[in-house]
C-alpha cells in the first residue's frame, strides 16, 4: 500500500477559527480587559513598595518624565524612586512574566506534556551554572555589571546545545527524548551549581547566589530592558504566527503530518525559540519557577485549547501575575526582599493542585 500523500501546509493555515462571532467578541473583550488590568498593575507596581507612593502621584511623576517636564525639589527623591528604580523593575517583571507564560504554552505543545514548563529542557539550570560562576568566582569579571547576565545567557545557550545534541543523537527530536534529556541534564547542572556554592570562598557571595537562583529583579536598571524586551517580543510574535501549527502538533505527530505540518521541523524551531527566550529571561531575572507551568493552564480554562486564543491571552496574564508577585516580594518582608520563586511556588502549588482536581480537566482545557 502506498504511503499517504502529504497535504500542503496551507491546509493548516487556511482552516477557519473555531467559534462563533460572539465567542470572538468575548475573546477580544477578555483581551481588552487583560490589557487594562496590566496597565493598572504597572501603575500599582510603581506605587507600592517599602515606601508607598499614592497612585495619582506616581501617575503624575510618570507623565512629567514622559513629556520631559520638571518636578519640584520636594518631589525629586520620589521621582528618582518612580523613574529610576520601580518603573524599569515593573516593566521587566511584565516582560519576564509574558515571556515565561507564552513559552510555557509552546513547550507544553512541543513535548505534548501538560506538566512541562520553560525549564523542562534544562535551560534554567544551565544558566544558573553560568551565573554562579560569576557570583562565586568572578568569572567574566571584566564585563562588570553585565557579567552575571552574560554568563547566565552563555550557560543557557550551552545547556540548549547539549540537550539538542544528545536528544538528536537518537534519530530525531521526539518529545519523550527531549523531556528525559532535559530532566537528566537539569539535575546534572543543578549538582554543579550546588557544588560551586558549597565550595564558594565567600559566604556572602554564596547567599546572594542562592537568592538569585530563586529569582530576583533587584538591581534592575533601564539597561536591563531592551534586549529582554526585543527577544521576548520576537518570540511571542513567532509563536502567534505558528499557533495553527501548534494546534496540529498538539494532536500528535501523525495527525500533524496529515495536516501538512512537519512535526520534527516545527519542534526544532520551537526548541530554538523557547531556548532563546528562556535564556534571556533567566539572564535578567534568575530562575523564576511555576509561571510557565501554571499560567498556560489557567489561560486555557478561559479560552479553551486553541493556541490562537491561548497565545493572545498568555502574555498579558503572565505579565500581570509576575508584576504582582514582584510587589509581594518587595513588601511582605520589607525592607528585605523575598525571592520571586518563593512567592510563585506559594501561589502556584495550591492553584495547580486545585486546577488538577477539577473534574474532567485535561491538557486541552476543560
Amino acid at each position: 500500500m502506498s504511503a499517504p500523500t502529504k497535504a500542503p501546509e496551507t491546509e493548516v493555515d487556511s482552516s477557519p477559527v473555531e467559534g462563533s462571532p460572539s465567542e470572538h467578541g468575548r475573546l477580544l473583550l477578555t483581551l481588552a480587559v487583560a490589557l487594562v488590568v496590566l496597565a493598572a498593575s504597572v501603575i500599582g507596581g510603581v506605587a507600592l513598595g517599602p515606601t508607598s507612593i499614592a497612585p495619582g502621584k506616581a501617575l503624575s511623576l510618570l507623565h512629567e518624565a514622559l513629556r520631559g517636564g520638571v518636578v519640584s525639589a520636594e518631589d525629586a527623591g520620589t521621582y528618582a524612586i518612580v523613574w529610576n528604580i520601580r518603573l524599569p523593575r515593573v516593566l521587566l517583571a511584565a516582560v519576564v512574566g509574558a515571556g515565561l507564560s507564552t513559552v510555557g504554552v509552546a513547550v507544553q505543545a512541543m513535548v505534548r506534556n501538560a506538566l512541562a514548563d520553560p525549564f523542562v529542557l534544562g535551560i534554567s539550570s544551565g544558566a544558573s551554572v553560568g551565573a554562579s560562576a560569576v557570583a562565586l568566582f568572578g568569572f567574566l569579571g571584566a564585563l562588570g555589571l553585565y557579567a552575571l547576565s552574560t554568563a547566565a545567557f552563555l550557560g543557557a545557550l550551552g545547556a540548549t546545545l547539549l540537550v539538542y545534541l544528545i536528544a538528536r543523537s537518537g534519530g530525531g527530536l521526539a518529545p519523550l527524548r527531549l523531556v528525559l534529556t532535559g530532566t537528566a541534564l537539569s539535575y546534572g547542572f543543578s549538582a554543579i551549581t550546588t557544588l560551586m556554592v558549597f565550595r564558594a570562598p565567600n559566604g556572602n557571595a554564596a547567599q546572594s547566589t542562592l537568592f538569585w537562583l530563586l529569582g530576583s529583579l533587584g538591581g534592575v536598571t533601564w539597561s536591563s530592558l531592551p534586549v529582554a524586551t526585543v527577544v521576548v517580543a520576537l518570540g511571542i510574535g513567532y509563536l502567534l504566527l505558528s499557533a495553527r501549527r501548534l494546534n496540529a502538533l498538539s494532536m500528535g505527530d501523525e495527525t500533524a503530518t496529515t495536516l501538512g505540518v512537519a512535526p520534527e521541523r516545527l519542534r526544532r524551531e520551537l526548541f530554538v525559540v523557547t531556548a532563546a527566550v528562556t535564556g534571556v529571561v533567566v539572564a535578567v531575572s534568575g530562575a523564576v519557577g511555576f509561571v510557565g507551568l501554571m499560567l498556560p493552564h489557567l489561560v486555557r480554562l478561559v479560552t479553551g485549547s486553541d493556541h490562537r486564543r491561548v497565545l493572545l491571552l498568555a502574555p498579558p496574564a503572565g505579565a500581570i501575575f509576575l508584576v504582582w508577585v514582584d510587589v509581594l516580594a518587595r513588601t511582605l518582608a520589607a525592607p528585605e526582599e523575598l525571592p520571586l520563586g518563593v512567592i510563585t511556588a506559594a501561589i502556584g502549588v495550591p492553584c495547580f493542585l486545585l486546577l488538577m482536581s477539577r473534574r474532567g480537566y485535561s491538557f486541552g482545557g476543560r
Side-chain angles (χ1 to χ4, degrees):
M1 184 172 61
S2 60
T5 303
K6 180 179 176 180
E9 191 164 338
T10 52
E11 285 192 15
V12 176
D13 295 336
S14 62
S15 60
V17 177
E18 298 176 3
S20 64
S22 62
E23 291 177 328
H24 297 162
R26 285 196 296 270
L27 176 63
L28 293 176
L29 177 61
T30 303
L31 178 60
V33 170
L35 293 177
V36 170
V37 173
L38 175 57
S41 298
V42 170
I43 300 301
V46 171
L48 296 174
T51 301
S52 294
I53 303 170
K57 186 70 170 179
L59 268 175
S60 175
L61 292 175
L62 288 176
H63 179 261
E64 291 298 326
L66 292 174
R67 74 183 187 90
V70 178
V71 297
S72 63
E74 63 178 317
D75 289 334
T78 304
Y79 172 83
I81 293 174
V82 167
W83 183 254
N84 296 326
I85 299 176
R86 291 192 185 170
L87 184 59
R89 177 170 181 155
V90 170
L91 292 178
L92 187 61
V95 170
V96 170
L100 290 176
S101 179
T102 308
V103 172
V105 176
V107 171
Q108 290 172 5
M110 178 173 63
V111 301
R112 297 203 305 275
N113 189 327
L115 298 179
D117 71 356
F119 302 138
V120 74
L121 301 180
I123 303 168
S124 173
S125 299
S128 299
V129 172
S132 298
V134 172
L136 299 175
F137 303 103
F139 179 65
L140 295 181
L143 296 179
L145 294 176
Y146 298 99
L148 185 67
S149 297
T150 302
F153 187 59
L154 291 176
L157 290 180
T160 299
L161 181 61
L162 191 57
V163 170
Y164 177 83
L165 292 176
I166 295 176
R168 176 70 180 174
S169 64
L173 288 178
L176 183 58
R177 288 189 64 85
L178 277 174
V179 171
L180 293 179
T181 303
T183 301
L185 290 180
S186 179
Y187 278 109
F189 292 135
S190 296
I192 294 174
T193 302
T194 301
L195 179 61
M196 293 172 67
V197 172
F198 181 75
R199 300 294 298 174
N202 187 304
N204 290 332
Q207 184 177 3
S208 298
T209 301
L210 290 174
F211 188 90
W212 184 89
L213 291 175
L214 290 173
S216 172
L217 292 171
V220 167
T221 63
W222 285 106
S223 63
S224 307
L225 271 169
V227 174
T229 302
V230 170
V231 173
V232 169
L234 290 175
I236 292 174
Y238 165 83
L239 293 174
L240 282 170
L241 293 175
S242 304
R244 297 176 188 270
R245 294 194 295 162
L246 289 177
N247 283 342
L249 187 64
S250 65
M251 292 186 286
D253 287 9
E254 291 185 3
T255 301
T257 301
T258 62
L259 292 173
V261 174
E264 187 171 337
R265 176 182 174 183
L266 177 57
R267 202 167 277 120
R268 282 198 301 268
E269 294 176 7
L270 294 173
F271 188 81
V272 172
V273 172
T274 55
V277 174
T278 304
V280 168
V281 164
V282 170
V284 297
S285 67
V288 184
F290 242 100
V291 180
L293 174 62
M294 180 178 62
L295 267 297
H297 289 281
L298 295 178
V299 171
R300 288 190 189 98
L301 289 177
V302 177
T303 66
S305 59
D306 191 336
H307 286 87
R308 289 167 290 185
R309 300 165 185 254
V310 175
L311 288 169
L312 280 177
L313 286 181
I320 292 167
F321 177 73
L322 202 61
V323 165
W324 287 108
V325 164
D326 183 53
V327 170
L328 292 176
R330 286 185 274 131
T331 57
L332 287 181
E336 301 293 330
E337 286 190 17
L338 294 174
L340 298 178
V342 172
I343 308 295
T344 56
I347 298 173
V349 169
C351 286
F352 194 74
L353 291 177
L354 180 63
L355 179 69
M356 297 303 291
S357 69
R358 284 176 56 95
R359 190 170 185 175
Y361 180 81
S362 63
F363 171 71
R366 295 181 179 82

